[in-house]
Amino acid sequence: MPERTPYIAANWKMHKTVAEAAEFVDALLPQIAATQSDVVICPPFTALGAVVERRYGTAVKVAAQNMHEEDAGAYTGEVSAAMLVELDVEAVVLGHSERRQLFGETDEALARKVPAALAVGLQPILCIGETEAEWSEGRTLDVLDAQLRGSLPDGASAADLMLAYEPVWAIGTGRTPSLEDIANTHGHLRARLAELAADGDELRLLYGGSVKAANAREIMAIADVDGVLVGGASLDADEFLAIYGAGQAADD
Ligand code: PGA
């Protein structure tokens, strides 16, 4: 099995002012100075610059939470991939279920956003996941396959992007699928990626949805889970560090 560098990402959503973001990063950096993992912070747009500035010379990477697919234009309230790259942001979360459900993000838009990000060297963290109804009807794998087919560009490669499996019903609810279900779903996605991408075996597959310090180690110990995308539990630096530590232990 190829070595896949663990990826621990903090999705802050619409939380943290510039001052709060700076305080978090200042607390985090000394604790992860020697890390071999990718530690990724996804602040709101307004705090991107402050986080980027602090993390120069460290292992921390910075991701935005969304972007528009066009280079420029009359799209009030939106930002382009090039604007993010100009700030030295390395990655962008695309297709998060909150964007899909609350802001009408579609697979069609994602099929344009992913190449637009890749074109300027921004790494998409592409999110897919089933709703509670789809899960209880046993349609999870079909839904994920359709989302993957709809949004993964032809010729995608492992170096370019990350895929995050986030069951919609697990986000912010404190509920997670069983470890066995996560293992089965990730195993299924790994097989699909092998079909869809030349080096799908190397593409990092994250799990997201109610990850916290108490469950991070067992989730990250699953063979095809290469990291986690953490929402609520990433807002507190100590809790996020505990999740990071669980990832290091799971990797031993
Ligand atoms: P949660 O959110 O950890 O608060 O469930 C995860 C996410 O939305 O990425």
Side-chain angles (χ1 to χ4, degrees):
M1 199 164 61
E3 267 301 303
R4 295 184 294 259
T5 305
Y7 197 93
I8 321 286
N11 175 16
W12 287 348
K13 311 191 181 186
M14 198 174 72
H15 292 285
K16 292 198 189 293
T17 61
V18 170
E20 289 163 347
E23 190 186 334
F24 181 108
V25 177
D26 289 345
L28 181 73
L29 287 179
Q31 308 293 327
I32 58 161
T35 189
Q36 300 296 314
S37 301
D38 283 333
V39 180
V40 185
I41 309 283
C42 318
F45 287 129
T46 46
L48 283 170
V51 176
V52 164
E53 222 168 84
R54 279 179 165 69
R55 70 78 219 245
Y56 281 125
T58 76
V60 169
K61 295 187 164 61
V62 184
Q65 299 174 15
N66 183 36
M67 54 163 253
H68 196 273
E69 60 269 34
E70 296 294 341
D71 294 342
Y75 303 105
T76 301
E78 294 288 330
V79 304
S80 73
M83 291 170 186
L84 297 173
V85 168
E86 187 188 30
L87 283 182
D88 278 352
V89 167
E90 286 108 340
V92 59
V93 177
L94 292 177
H96 190 280
S97 67
E98 285 151 16
R99 299 293 323 168
R100 291 178 189 262
Q101 296 204 312
L102 304 174
F103 302 101
E105 178 113 294
T106 60
D107 280 340
E108 291 69 42
L110 287 167
R112 301 184 60 211
K113 287 188 180 196
V114 174
L118 293 175
V120 292
L122 201 57
Q123 274 191 321
I125 305 169
L126 179 62
C127 301
I128 57 174
E130 82 285 5
T131 62
E132 175 138 38
E134 290 161 345
W135 175 70
S136 41
E137 288 158 14
R139 295 173 47 219
T140 297
L141 301 184
D142 289 341
V143 169
L144 299 181
D145 283 352
Q147 289 177 343
L148 255 191
R149 272 195 311 272
S151 51
L152 199 69
D154 290 342
S157 107
D160 294 339
L161 63 113
M162 258 66 57
L163 186 68
Y165 166 53
E166 298 206 304
V168 177
W169 54 273
I171 293 178
T173 60
R175 297 161 60 207
T176 59
S178 67
L179 296 176
E180 197 189 346
D181 282 345
I182 297 175
N184 285 339
T185 303
H186 275 237
H188 172 87
L189 290 172
R190 177 68 62 204
R192 276 286 167 280
L193 286 173
E195 291 165 14
L196 295 170
D199 53 0
D201 221 28
E202 289 167 38
L203 203 146
R204 283 179 288 175
L205 208 40
L206 318 181
Y207 168 81
S210 295
V211 174
K212 47 186 187 275
N215 61 15
R217 184 171 179 164
E218 53 191 17
I219 291 174
M220 280 189 270
I222 297 171
D224 275 308
V225 174
D226 306 313
V228 284
L229 184 53
V230 188
S234 75
L235 294 173
D236 178 77
D238 289 338
E239 175 83 6
F240 184 63
L241 273 166
I243 294 170
Y244 162 78
Q248 307 305 293
D251 203 39
D252 287 343

